[in-house]
Structure formats: structure tokens, C-alpha cells
Amino acid sequence: MPLFSLVEVVKAFKEDSRQVRVLDGITLDVENEFIAILGPSGCGKTTLLRIIAGVEKPDSGKVVYHEKNMKVGFVFQFPTLLPWATVLDNVALPLRANGAKWSEAREKASKYLTLVGLQGFEDFYPRELSGGMRQRVNLARALAIEPTVLLMDEPFSHLDPLTAESLRFEVLDLWSLGVTTVKAIIMVTHSVDEALLMADRLVILTPRPAKIARIIEVRIPRPRDRRSPEFQLLEDKVYECLSA
Ligand SMILES: Nc1ncnc2c1ncn2[C@@H]1O[C@H](COP(=O)(O)OP(=O)(O)OP(=O)(O)O)[C@@H](O)[C@H]1O
Ligand SMILES: [Mg+2]
């Protein structure tokens, strides 16, 4: 039984008084797995995540969650930390919004900040942090609501290469150690390398209106070595699909 299913999801937006179709019938079963979504800019990747998160409604089709009370965490494409709130409160606020008491919310926030390596930075303000640390706060905030599904929209693309690389492995560690509530991760990325390094399956979308062009399974055990022949062979295959 999959964790959740996308069934013929269709979405259009109004542009200059005409309807422009963005998602053109996306059907996908998601299990306990790490999925990377790749596709050209503007094809509808963020829209698809928003539909999975339930903040956007599809015009037709549906998202079916097979478990009750499944929560979805979201690491956004663009920075969204509140500048006037401390790191701790940035993570605690969504929990407050869900009805937790301040003491509970802050306790949980602190736990997840520790998990992403930010113990000791609770009282800092976002402007006092590096880009990598800010992204760790974003991750802690998404994890703190204790989601079953974690959505990440190009989470490493604004970071310098070294920071991005260490965060990728930290996320993989959190994922494989099972120290969070997350069962499935869906990550949007423009990087074939990142997708192959991290994901169990790559879902490649066509240009807008997006359909699933191809699904590629990555059966290479982790931690993966970019220089291994199997990695490079698969990389060639993905680039072939993207340029087709
Ligand atoms: N709320 C909205 N109203 C109108 N048009 C929208 C809205 N949200 C998205 N769009 C349009 O839908 C299309 C897909 O947008 P989306 O942000 O999902 O693409 P994307 O694949 O995430 O792009 P990128 O790789 O650049 O992040 C774009 O043409 C965008 O202009
Ligand atoms: Mg996007």
C-alpha cells in the first residue's frame, strides 16, 4: 500500500485572461521512499508540491492519503524565516499555530534544532546566521511539526557548494537513521547529480504542461560514489532523458 497517491492531477492558472495548463495529469504512487522531481523551469514543480501539501487545489484529479492524520512538512524554494523572531521561535511558531502551548512548542523546536546541528543558536536572529544555518532552521521548522511526508523545493540551490554538500549528507543521515517522523521525502531539484546522490527514484517532468516523462530508479546503495561506473552510467541516462 503506498503512503499517498497522486491521481490524474490537473492544474491550470489564468494568464492574460486565458487558462494555461501547468500540470497535465500527474499520476504517481509514493511509498516510504525518497523521490527527486526534475523538470524544466516553470514546468509546475512547485505547484505540484503545493498540491501535495494541500495549500493548492487541483482543478481535477486528487491526492489520496492512505493514512489518517498525515502531516506534510515543507522546506520552501525561497527564504521564509521571520526576521523579527529568534531561531527558536521561528521553529516554534507553526507548532503554536497548530495549538501547542508555548512551552511545548519551544521544547519541540529545541529538539529539532539540535537534530539539525543548531544547538546553542536558539536565541539568534535569522540575520545573524549563515545561509547554511538558515536552511537548517528551515529544515528544523519543517521537521518539528512531525510530518510523515517532507517536501523540499530546491533546498540546496541557494547555498555555496560545500555547505550544500554537507547538508545533503546530513539530510540523508537523518532520513536513514530514522530519527524523524518522515517516511517519504519529495525533493524538487535542478541538479541531476544531487538527485542521483540522494533519491530512490527520479521523476522527470516534461516542459509545461507537465506530464511525467520518465521515472528512473536508483538502486545504488548509499552512501553513493559519484565516480562509480554505475553512478556515471545512470547520470548519462538521465541527461539523455532530459534532452529528449
Ligand atoms: N498562483 C499562480 N497564479 C498564476 N500563475 C501561476 C501561479 N503559480 C504558478 N503559476 C505559473 O505556473 C507555472 C508553473 O509554476 P511553478 O512555480 O510551479 O514552476 P516550477 O517548475 O517550480 O519553476 P522553477 O523551476 O522556476 O521553480 C509558471 O508558468 C507560473 O508562472
Ligand atoms: Mg519552483
Side-chain angles (χ1 to χ4, degrees), residues 7-136:
V7 187
E8 286 295 324
V9 169
V10 171
K11 182 75 185 175
F13 286 113
K14 217 173 185 159
E15 209 174 86
D16 303 330
S17 76
R18 63 194 183 99
Q19 289 287 109
V20 177
R21 195 173 268 217
V22 175
L23 300 174
D24 199 15
I26 306 284
T27 295
L28 182 70
D29 284 336
V30 177
E31 319 256 343
N32 293 7
E33 60 182 325
F34 192 139
I35 289 184
I37 297 182
L38 290 144
S41 196
C43 79
K45 301 179 296 294
T46 297
T47 305
L48 187 61
L49 290 192
R50 287 171 56 79
I51 287 174
I52 295 171
V55 292
E56 192 98 61
K57 289 258 169 298
D59 296 334
S60 65
K62 58 187 171 182
V63 184
V64 184
Y65 286 101
H66 300 290
E67 279 180 22
K68 269 192 191 152
N69 304 324
M70 247 172 66
K71 284 185 279 186
V72 179
F74 211 135
V75 176
F76 299 97
Q77 185 169 2
F78 299 105
T80 50
L81 293 179
L82 302 167
W84 44 264
T86 62
V87 162
L88 186 69
D89 283 352
N90 262 285
V91 179
L93 272 165
L95 304 171
R96 274 289 290 160
N98 284 348
K101 290 192 196 120
W102 266 120
S103 56
E104 286 168 26
R106 288 199 171 118
E107 196 174 313
K108 203 164 265 181
S110 166
K111 170 182 164 187
Y112 283 94
L113 282 166
T114 301
L115 219 52
V116 301
L118 284 182
Q119 195 168 24
F121 292 93
E122 290 85 353
D123 296 332
F124 282 55
Y125 286 86
R127 65 170 181 279
E128 299 174 299
L129 303 181
S130 68
M133 289 159 94
R134 270 183 231 145
Q135 199 56 328
R136 284 196 170 87

Side-chain angles (χ1 to χ4, degrees), residues 34 165 169 172 175 193-202 217-228 230-231 234:
F34 192 139
E165 186 71 352
F169 283 103
L172 281 175
W175 162 248
D193 172 79
E194 178 174 288
L196 287 174
L197 199 66
M198 300 182 81
D200 298 306
R201 288 200 289 165
L202 274 49
E217 290 203 30
V218 189
R219 294 218 179 90
I220 309 170
R222 298 182 183 94
R224 293 176 182 156
D225 178 3
R226 297 180 161 96
R227 288 158 305 181
S228 71
E230 39 185 355
F231 192 102
L234 214 48

